[in-house]
Amino acid sequence: MTTVAQREGVTRAVGAPAAGVHPPHISVVVPTYNERDNVEELLGRLVAAVPVDTELIFVDDSSDDTVDAIRAAAEKLDVTVTVHHRAEATGGLGGAVVEGLRRAQGTWVVVMDADLQHPPDLVPQLVAAGDEADADLVVASRYVDGGTRDGLANAYRRYVSQGSTRLAKAMFGRTLAGVSDPMSGFFAVRATALDPAALRPLGYKILLELMVRAKPRKVVEVPFSFGTRFAGESKSSLSEGLRFLRHLATLRVGDSQLRMLGYAAVGVSGVLPNLVALQLLTAVFGVHYLTAAVIANQVAIGWNFVLTDRLIFRSRRRRSLWSRMGQFAVLGNVDLVARIPLLALLVGDLGLGYLSGTAITLAVMFLVRFLILDRLVYVRTSKPSPSVWETP
Ligand code: GDD
Ligand code: MN
């Protein structure tokens, strides 16, 4: 039965008391989202495979009774399990894994899915391989000799998986060198090589985030067969794919550069509504071209505002809509007025050509507007936001 306490994000231990006071050698972190029909099988097979003092942590964002299923299974098996049900599913799967990494006490933390696509009996082997090689990270790979990916639902999923792996490896050549499966959701990481607070994953690819941001010293791979789901449905979707692309971009160019690029793209896109409005006003409504230019510019500012506000600074909308919109409109109009004297200075006083002068004024004013928006209008909070683009 679903209780109120679960909804509030509590940690509870069920089953037998923890064995010993030493930190466990292995912690297993399992993110769950509506996996009620998988957890009993998973726990049974895990318990059979891992040392008795292994710490088992579930980070749950389910809307079904997965938490109760975990508790029931743990009681039957007489094993200690920690279930952290999050009241808010911040950061989705990636956020859940970071939460688990933060809570784990073990020397090694193994992250795995709940749907049995990741074989539980491999957990101790991953850790043993890491100990033996004195590595910081052990990746269970579908792409080294002996590994398979038969469990990927269809040719489309296989194609997407392969394509995204290639893309990531092309973008992060050196960091991912020697790792055949940076998209794997099954890995073991040494706790001392880990700073969960530095991780800001965007979506599913937590291993990629970890490799790029934490730069583990030594990485080894262990082959595995990515099986088929035991029960239930996959939670990944098309929007997960888009999130992956944003994740790559954020990892590559950094948050603020990505924002600036996005803001520039929005600015360029604003030329189109500007011209359309100008054409409509002069040709259809017979408005004088100068008046039309002023109005068309307001249309472009409106267009830019909607896109900038929704896409670029979505996660930083602290001020009211009216205040953001007002400040944005003032900036846009001041920009127009300020560009004229700046152009006069560059061309008249410094002797630059019209074209290069105009290009410089556009670039300078673009930067000034961006900085004002970034620093003054869309104020940051003290806490780093989970993502640049935060999807609704
Ligand atoms: N807590 C939490 N919150 N768990 C989640 C969420 C969420 O928002 N979304 C998914 N999960 C859990 C699922 O319950 C499951 O245990 C695990 O994350 C993986 O979800 P699936 O929906 O089964 O993902 P998949 O099979 O498509 O993708 C897996 O394989 C990929 C490789 O092809 C994942 O391991 C990916 O990370 C991996 O890249
Ligand atoms: Mn799965």
Side-chain angles (χ1 to χ4, degrees), residues 24 32 41 76 87 107 128 141 156 172 199 206 234 268 282 287 341:
T32 48
E41 178 77 13
K76 250 193 257 172
T107 312
S141 168
Y156 168 73
F172 298 95
L199 300 177
I206 174 80
S234 168
V268 170
T282 50
V287 179

Side-chain angles (χ1 to χ4, degrees), residues 230-269:
F230 183 72
E233 287 167 5
S234 168
K235 315 303 184 296
S236 77
S237 56
L238 184 64
S239 66
E240 199 47 57
L242 296 176
R243 208 166 293 141
F244 167 65
L245 295 179
R246 286 188 219 124
H247 189 193
L248 279 182
T250 322
L251 282 174
R252 186 71 277 174
V253 298
D255 284 9
S256 45
Q257 287 91 330
L258 190 61
R259 267 208 180 86
M260 206 190 284
L261 275 176
Y263 181 61
V266 166
V268 170
S269 79

Side-chain angles (χ1 to χ4, degrees), residues 113 115 117 229:
D113 294 349
D115 57 3
Q117 291 192 285
R229 234 177 194 278

